[in-house]
Amino acid sequence: MVTEQASWPADLGHYGGLMIRLAWHCAGSYRSWDGRGGCDGARQRFLPEMAWDDNTNLDKARELLVPIKEKYGDALTWGDLIVLAGTTAIESMGAPVLGFCAGRIDDVDGTASLELGPTPEQQAVAPCTRGDGMCEQPLGQTTMGLIYVNPEGLMGNPVPKNSVAGIRSSFGRMGMNDSETVALIGGGHAFGKTHGACPTGAGPGPLKSPSNPWPGTCGSGPMKGRGPNTFTSGFEGSWTTRPTEWTNQYFRNLLGFDWVKHKGPGGHWQWKPTSRKGATGAAATADLPNIMMLTADMALLEDPEYLKYTKIFSQDLEALNTAFSHAWYKLMTRDMGPYSRCLGKAPMLPPPQPFQLQLPAPPAKLPDFAPIRADIVNVLKADTENAAKFTRLAWQCANTFRATDYAGGCNGARIRFSPQKDWPSNKGLDQVLKLLDPVKKKYPSLSWADLIVLAGTTALQQAAADAGSGSVDLKFCGGRTDAADGQGTDVLEPRSYVNASVALADNAKVMGLTPREAVALAGMLRSTAQQQGLGYSGSWASSAAGQSRQDNSYFKVLLNNIWEPSKSAAGKEEFKAKGNPKLFMMPSDVAIKRSPAFAAHAGEYAKDNAKFLQALAGAWTKVMNADRFDGPAGNVCK
Ligand code: HEM
């Protein structure tokens, strides 16, 4: 932090501010809508994130870390190094930190950030419909290329109160509440400075060259574009008079002065103090500190809740210490998913935090699953519809898993609680759970999560055997455990997309499935009654047998019929087969036929049932165990 390098001189002899900005821009790209973004993967090193205006000059910060990366080689990932650098910077300047969760895995390129934009992929998946500067969910930021909001104000207009809604909405889209938002902005801006030394500094904008993306043009001589001549955002100045020390001065400054907007040396609107609040005469204007605020900082004075926390933090350093240390840890860690992904030990690794939704430990001794399987088969036999019911329950329980941030999955069986049980897509599943109640009661050490997955797995296996045309060998890995509530899972609610083809491709990607796996899963058992319960007119299977036997009939029906768009009585968009008004498909089914990358697999499965069943077994096992990356504790897969 304090060993100056000629390549990029440090402000006030300390790299702390720069390293905090590096880490926060790496982690702050996270959005809760689809779990994309965040520093796990360290994609800030690649396009498109590398070229975001907000990431100007962060190549210099990463360059300063290269010797450390080289010293530890593959044992240290860029993701961990960047977060550790930011966290160490905070600690080195005297602020409290909660700790560090290691375990980020580096991506080999920036592909997984294409949907963050600005790219055609982002425009398809997460368009900015209200216009750049006012982007809403699904995007995490209001302005393309920035992390959260435009510092100069909404659409570049320096009107602080107009920034409030964008700050609240964009921080909210990343899972931060008002107290966390105020603590992060004011805690972060306790440190460092903004850089905008001259009006023609050539900061943000298109990359000039990959090896030297932002050649600074302010000043001249050996320090051209560097040190005091740095141009990054185009604003100039620091928020406090002691920017390398941890204080709550930021909040005291906001409240303690009258501020006026002016154009800084970089040509952007920013704010400077004009008088001391509460002072009169010459004392009000004498020796005003050389400090600044951004319009986005000034916005904290314009909202009652933000003002409340600004006042609290200005008077109570302890309150700020607690709020900032926790919010920073959350900012750095929430894209990592459950606590089990954090490597390291106490005291550096803190205990599980509320946002990590820690599950209770599984029972020390798991039940014998063989008799449970037999009991499930008995329930299956009671009604031909039960096979489709059990597979749907397990699928709905597990398909919330997101490979993007390791959230969701059936472990915890949170599908039993609000908000998940109330989602329209889960309608009727409470009744399916009731069918399993007697089995659950019989085995005290059996978790709901294991029972749900085992029931779906057993049903699928049985239905394939009943079809008589092939079989699937499905392994079951027990060891799941049950959560006490559904808290924190609202972000997993099924996403809505501009059309079914985009939804098909993106849902598969977010779940970590290949198109081939996603298509196989679409051919899973489906009952007409359940489809009707969801508001559709029916399903693709015309006979009861078709609904309780697992083979490749779905693909034959899908490919051999012409599907015409219609609407069910309940108002659901659906497709009915031309010439066979009893057969219905959902938009997601027809999207398979219409998307070349998916249709090819459907064609292959329609021709070869054995191949389909094998693919289905693989994809099913993958989805059911996707959230078991922590390893099945003491468990044997049978
Ligand atoms: C610097 C904007 C939130 C930490 C900056 C700069 C801008 C900015 C424009 C100047 C960059 C430069 O020219 O070098 C914003 C806005 C925010 C926000 C609009 C949200 C509304 C945060 C948060 C943190 C943070 C949440 C960390 C918790 C920093 C630090 C610097 C900085 C440490 C100084 C960098 C240096 O010294 O080189 N911010 N920021 N900011 N920001 Fe923020």
Side-chain angles (χ1 to χ4, degrees):
M1 294 297 157
V2 291
T3 311
E4 277 218 67
Q5 305 295 329
S7 63
W8 192 253
D11 299 323
L12 300 164
H14 208 297
Y15 289 113
L18 179 66
M19 292 302 167
I20 296 171
R21 182 172 153 250
L22 174 76
W24 117 253
H25 284 205
C26 190
S29 61
Y30 176 79
R31 64 183 184 211
S32 49
W33 185 74
D34 58 4
R36 285 193 168 100
C39 206
D40 191 10
R43 289 173 303 276
Q44 192 199 60
R45 296 166 300 147
F46 307 116
L47 292 173
E49 284 188 56
M50 183 182 98
W52 286 4
D53 281 354
D54 248 0
N55 290 337
T56 301
N57 282 335
L58 290 180
D59 58 321
K60 321 294 194 299
R62 290 189 298 271
E63 214 172 291
L64 290 164
L65 295 174
V66 164
I68 302 180
K69 174 73 179 104
E70 283 184 345
K71 180 168 172 192
Y72 295 93
D74 287 346
L76 173 67
T77 62
W78 268 109
D80 277 351
L81 176 56
I82 289 170
V83 170
L84 188 55
T87 305
T88 306
I90 290 174
E91 205 171 20
S92 76
M93 292 186 286
V97 297
L98 198 62
F100 171 66
C101 151
R104 287 163 197 78
I105 303 165
D106 286 346
D107 284 9
V108 293
D109 59 30
T111 313
S113 287
L114 288 176
E115 287 81 4
L116 300 180
T119 57
E121 288 82 355
Q122 162 259 318
Q123 276 164 25
V125 166
C128 173
T129 42
R130 286 188 64 204
D132 201 11
M134 291 193 286
C135 308
E136 290 181 327
Q137 186 109 290
L139 287 162
Q141 69 276 47
T142 64
T143 310
M144 298 308 302
L146 303 188
I147 303 294
Y148 289 58
V149 299
N150 187 339
E152 203 168 7
L154 179 67
M155 307 305 280
N157 294 320
V159 183
K161 70 172 178 331
N162 291 354
S163 290
V164 170
I167 295 175
R168 177 163 287 123
S169 148
S170 60
F171 273 80
R173 284 177 248 162
M174 306 183 209
M176 297 292 173
N177 63 24
D178 286 348
S179 139
E180 290 164 332
T181 303
V182 176
L184 282 173
I185 297 176
H189 291 171
F191 301 117
K193 70 180 285 284
T194 60
H195 301 85
C198 74
T200 56
L207 298 190
K208 306 292 178 292
S209 103
S211 58
N212 186 14
W214 297 283
T217 54
C218 291
S220 57
M223 291 303 271
K224 182 177 172 189
R226 303 182 307 132
N229 296 319
T230 303
F231 191 108
T232 303
S233 59
F235 305 94
E236 180 58 38
S238 58
W239 296 266
T240 80
T241 53
R242 288 151 60 196
T244 58
E245 281 173 49
W246 174 242
T247 64
N248 59 354
Q249 207 199 97
Y250 170 94
F251 298 102
R252 287 185 274 120
N253 289 346
L254 259 183
L255 294 166
F257 296 100
D258 295 307
W259 296 86
V260 66
K261 63 174 188 251
H262 72 116
K263 285 229 164 138
H268 285 286
W269 288 110
Q270 54 186 71
W271 298 72
K272 65 180 177 190
T274 50
S275 58
R276 241 174 225 97
K277 281 229 169 86
T280 50
T285 52
D287 296 329
L288 289 174
N290 183 18
I291 52 175
M292 57 86 67
M293 289 285 162
L294 301 163
T295 300
D297 297 302
M298 296 299 296
L300 301 186
L301 300 173
E302 298 292 335
D303 172 81
E305 280 300 297
Y306 288 167
L307 184 61
K308 181 179 96 185
Y309 290 112
T310 300
K311 285 183 179 162
I312 293 173
F313 296 146
S314 76
Q315 288 160 9
D316 186 347
L317 183 61
E318 267 312 303
L320 177 63
N321 285 346
T322 308
F324 179 70
S325 56
H326 282 81
W328 175 263
Y329 184 71
K330 180 174 170 183
L331 181 68
M332 293 300 116
T333 316
R334 75 216 139 126
D335 66 312
M336 287 286 284
Y339 184 69
S340 55
R341 285 205 66 219
C342 289
L343 305 180
K345 294 199 288 268
M348 203 169 189
L349 176 64
Q353 299 298 303
F355 69 91
Q356 293 174 309
L357 306 178
Q358 175 76 341
L359 288 168
K365 188 166 165 9
L366 297 180
D368 177 0
F369 290 105
I372 302 174
R373 254 190 207 258
D375 285 341
I376 292 169
V377 170
N378 281 336
V379 185
L380 282 172
K381 281 186 190 148
D383 188 334
T384 50
E385 286 245 334
N386 285 352
K389 285 182 180 167
F390 288 175
T391 45
R392 177 166 161 250
L393 174 65
W395 164 246
Q396 287 297 109
C397 188
N399 76 12
T400 53
F401 178 75
R402 313 195 297 197
T404 47
D405 64 352
Y406 293 76
C410 198
N411 201 1
R414 293 181 170 105
I415 197 166
R416 295 166 302 142
F417 304 115
S418 292
Q420 294 195 30
K421 77 179 177 59
D422 312 317
W423 295 343
S425 51
N426 286 338
K427 209 169 157 198
L429 291 180
D430 48 345
Q431 298 303 318
V432 185
L433 282 165
K434 277 200 186 124
L435 291 173
L436 291 171
D437 223 13
V439 184
K440 172 76 178 81
K441 289 207 173 100
K442 197 168 156 190
Y443 302 94
S445 62
L446 173 65
S447 67
W448 267 112
D450 271 349
L451 177 56
I452 291 169
V453 172
L454 184 57
T457 305
T458 307
L460 201 59
Q461 188 151 350
Q462 188 70 38
D466 289 350
S469 59
S471 66
V472 282
D473 179 21
L474 291 172
K475 296 267 181 285
F476 169 76
C477 311
R480 291 169 192 79
T481 163
D482 292 340
D485 56 38
Q487 216 190 336
T489 58
D490 46 339
V491 295
L492 304 175
E493 186 163 5
R495 296 169 293 278
S496 46
Y497 291 92
V498 283
N499 65 48
S501 299
V502 172
L504 174 71
D506 200 56
N507 278 325
K509 244 191 210 180
V510 171
M511 284 176 72
L513 296 176
T514 62
R516 186 173 172 74
E517 289 164 337
V519 174
L521 287 161
M524 205 166 61
L525 289 178
R526 201 180 293 174
S527 98
T528 303
Q530 280 199 80
Q531 288 299 100
Q532 287 165 341
L534 291 172
Y536 296 100
S537 305
S539 96
W540 59 268
S542 52
S543 70
Q547 299 161 35
S548 62
R549 293 177 189 169
Q550 182 64 71
D551 61 17
N552 61 348
S553 305
Y554 163 84
F555 298 103
K556 293 179 185 160
V557 177
L558 177 68
L559 298 180
N560 295 338
N561 283 283
I562 294 172
W563 297 98
E564 294 176 326
S566 68
K567 217 170 215 176
S568 72
K572 286 263 186 198
E573 303 284 347
E574 59 185 10
F575 288 82
K576 67 172 180 250
K578 191 173 178 180
N580 194 342
K582 282 202 177 138
L583 300 186
F584 293 89
M585 286 278 182
M586 297 186 290
S588 56
D589 300 311
V590 176
I592 293 179
K593 195 172 172 179
R594 291 184 178 168
S595 313
F598 290 76
H601 302 296
E604 202 184 337
Y605 296 150
K607 278 196 212 104
D608 190 335
N609 187 46
K611 209 177 229 180
F612 161 60
L613 289 180
Q614 196 190 10
L616 177 63
W620 175 270
T621 306
K622 180 169 169 178
V623 172
M624 292 302 135
N625 295 295
D627 60 350
R628 309 296 313 283
F629 43 81
D630 49 346
N635 160 60
V636 183
C637 299
K638 284 188 187 153

